[in-house]
Amino acid sequence: MWVGMTSGKLGVDFIKTVERTIYPRDRGGNWQFRSAFLLGSSEKVYRSVEFLIDFFRSTPGFRYVSVFLVLFGVGDRTKISVAAFGAALVILFNVAYGVMNARKTRISRGQR
């Protein structure tokens, strides 16, 4: 294994796998935190996009592979986009629900 990692193609493939794991989390999370705080803090905004949120939440992420193949073609960009989309949905839902369900005392303590 050491020879394959240092002199063979195994090391290059390992680095590519790590990149494909880190990029989706970063790309999916960057804009989702801001969106989730907006959704969680304003019930009016959340209610206006509730149908879309429930639609995407109830549809498995692998169902969007064909859409991303059409948009981005075959390659790393498609793989990273599918994973980023899945990560973005998870981050969006968890942060938005966390902000909505935060106790009022915790919110008011942070604003002193």
Side-chain angles (χ1 to χ4, degrees), residues 46-60:
Y46 177 76
R47 295 291 173 216
S48 66
V49 294
E50 184 178 18
F51 174 76
L52 272 172
I53 290 172
D54 286 337
F55 174 77
F56 285 117
R57 183 180 56 170
S58 63
T59 307

Side-chain angles (χ1 to χ4, degrees), residues 2-32:
W2 180 253
V3 171
M5 288 292 281
T6 57
S7 64
K9 194 174 178 188
L10 188 58
V12 174
D13 291 342
F14 178 75
I15 296 297
K16 281 298 236 185
T17 300
V18 170
E19 287 175 358
R20 290 178 190 153
T21 304
I22 292 173
Y23 286 160
R25 187 204 58 195
D26 292 343
R27 290 182 182 176
N30 286 339
W31 60 277
Q32 285 302 328

Side-chain angles (χ1 to χ4, degrees), residues 10-91:
L10 188 58
V12 174
D13 291 342
F14 178 75
I15 296 297
K16 281 298 236 185
T17 300
V18 170
E19 287 175 358
R20 290 178 190 153
T21 304
I22 292 173
Y23 286 160
R25 187 204 58 195
D26 292 343
R27 290 182 182 176
N30 286 339
W31 60 277
Q32 285 302 328
F33 283 115
R34 291 183 289 273
S35 302
F37 279 116
L38 175 69
L39 285 175
S41 62
S42 173
E43 187 171 337
K44 186 183 273 188
V45 174
Y46 177 76
R47 295 291 173 216
S48 66
V49 294
E50 184 178 18
F51 174 76
L52 272 172
I53 290 172
D54 286 337
F55 174 77
F56 285 117
R57 183 180 56 170
S58 63
T59 307
F62 68 88
R63 297 282 185 191
Y64 299 109
V65 172
S66 58
V67 173
F68 284 106
L69 280 172
V70 170
L71 292 175
F72 301 118
V74 178
D76 283 348
R77 190 172 177 192
T78 302
K79 296 172 193 172
I80 290 171
S81 298
V82 169
F85 183 73
L89 290 176
V90 170
I91 291 168

